[in-house]
Amino acid sequence: MPSRPAGKRRYLATSPFNAAREAAQAKIVPIPVGARVSHERHGMGKVVALDGDEAVIVDFGGGQHLRVNLDSPRLEVL
């Protein structure tokens, strides 16, 4: 049996999970450095650095810098 070539994963066109998969990919919006954000658990913060295309480093005060994924439902840009 031939193996599938490496690369992008293929999904069935009729899969009920396609809508959720596309929504998750479209949801990632870049946040600029210096933007104010709010996090459900950690409170108010300021973006101090980018960590690739999928995360930011946020300063929540008191020397607490945390990496937060951009697709996190707990992170909100103010």
Side-chain angles (χ1 to χ4, degrees), residues 2-46:
S3 64
R4 193 167 53 93
K8 197 168 183 182
R9 217 171 187 185
R10 293 177 40 188
Y11 299 100
L12 292 174
T14 57
S15 172
F17 301 105
N18 283 341
R21 190 178 302 113
E22 290 171 2
Q25 290 175 351
K27 197 189 297 186
I28 298 177
V29 178
I31 300 174
V33 173
R36 291 283 191 191
V37 294
S38 176
H39 191 276
E40 284 182 15
R41 180 182 294 167
H42 304 290
M44 302 286 289
K46 183 176 179 182

